[in-house]
Amino acid sequence: MMKRVLKSAVLLLLFLGLTSMAAHRFYVAIYQIDFVPQKKRLEITTRIFMDDLNDAVTKAYKKSTNIGSVKETPEDIDLLKKYLGENFKLTVNGKPKTFTYLSREVESNVVICYLSIKEIAKVTSLQVDNSILIEVHSEQQNIIQFNNNGKKQNLLLTSSITKGMLK
């Protein structure tokens, strides 16, 4: 009888522990940067949770946004472009570069943005300065995946480290 009570108690604690972990939210965004030498450009794909992105843009510009939803407006997209431009900066071969916002799509609850930087003959170094979502979630992690002509590198940026170098 005592073994059954003990076993039940352990299973209950295990269940409660696992369910509480499942409720924990992860604050992660992924940025894929590909150098395409044939086209002489960097192609950038961002994957950011829709609710977090709207929270950050709303906080930054004191205007409620609906990015990625059916209520999205052209002004929401303008604020998205501004937010990305101010919080995601790339320096290629020691020179700051401005990306072009191409488009965005929504996949489930993730906003996927497509960006590019043209006229890049080669990449010897890539500095990434990424503070996206940091102001709304101190636990935010921005994962940068860089493919430089087949050579792959990763970089993890957080609220304490928002800038990193890839070579």
Side-chain angles (χ1 to χ4, degrees):
M1 178 72 169
M2 186 64 164
K3 274 189 171 182
R4 183 181 290 180
V5 171
L6 186 59
K7 187 176 180 181
S8 295
V10 168
L11 288 174
L12 179 64
L13 286 173
L14 183 63
F15 174 77
L16 289 173
L18 290 175
T19 56
S20 67
M21 283 179 16
H24 180 265
R25 200 125 175 242
F26 292 97
Y27 299 104
V28 176
I30 298 175
Y31 304 79
Q32 178 67 44
I33 304 172
D34 294 306
F35 173 58
V36 183
Q38 305 86 340
K39 297 180 180 179
K40 295 186 176 178
R41 73 176 176 214
L42 286 176
E43 295 177 349
I44 304 145
T45 306
T46 73
R47 295 179 179 276
I48 307 168
F49 284 108
M50 186 185 321
D51 57 342
D52 295 338
L53 184 58
N54 279 295
D55 289 348
V57 174
T58 296
K59 184 174 183 177
Y61 305 113
K62 311 289 188 262
K63 166 121 181 44
S64 183
T65 59
N66 295 295
I67 298 163
S69 79
V70 293
K71 297 178 186 174
E72 179 183 271
T73 66
E75 185 183 3
D76 290 342
I77 294 299
D78 289 341
L79 291 174
L80 168 64
K81 291 177 188 177
K82 183 178 179 183
Y83 181 78
L84 290 173
E86 290 175 356
N87 293 281
F88 183 71
K89 296 180 178 157
L90 298 175
T91 303
V92 181
N93 305 330
K95 296 178 182 164
K97 297 290 184 180
T98 303
F99 60 78
T100 301
Y101 173 93
L102 303 173
S103 66
R104 70 109 195 102
E105 66 179 325
V106 178
E107 198 175 272
S108 189
N109 61 344
V110 174
V111 176
I112 304 168
C113 297
Y114 299 99
L115 319 169
S116 74
I117 299 175
K118 295 180 181 177
E119 299 175 23
I120 305 289
K122 68 177 181 173
V123 180
T124 55
S125 70
L126 176 66
Q127 179 178 307
V128 180
D129 188 353
N130 187 340
S131 59
I132 290 178
L133 305 183
I134 298 295
E135 70 279 12
V136 289
H137 300 297
S138 60
E139 310 91 3
Q140 178 65 33
Q141 295 184 336
N142 291 320
I143 300 170
I144 314 299
Q145 300 172 327
F146 179 46
N147 182 354
N148 185 2
N149 208 14
K151 182 183 174 195
K152 297 180 180 183
Q153 291 181 287
N154 295 309
L155 184 63
L156 175 63
L157 300 176
T158 64
S159 60
S160 58
I161 303 169
T162 60
K163 193 182 288 190
M165 181 72 76
L166 297 160
K167 294 185 181 210

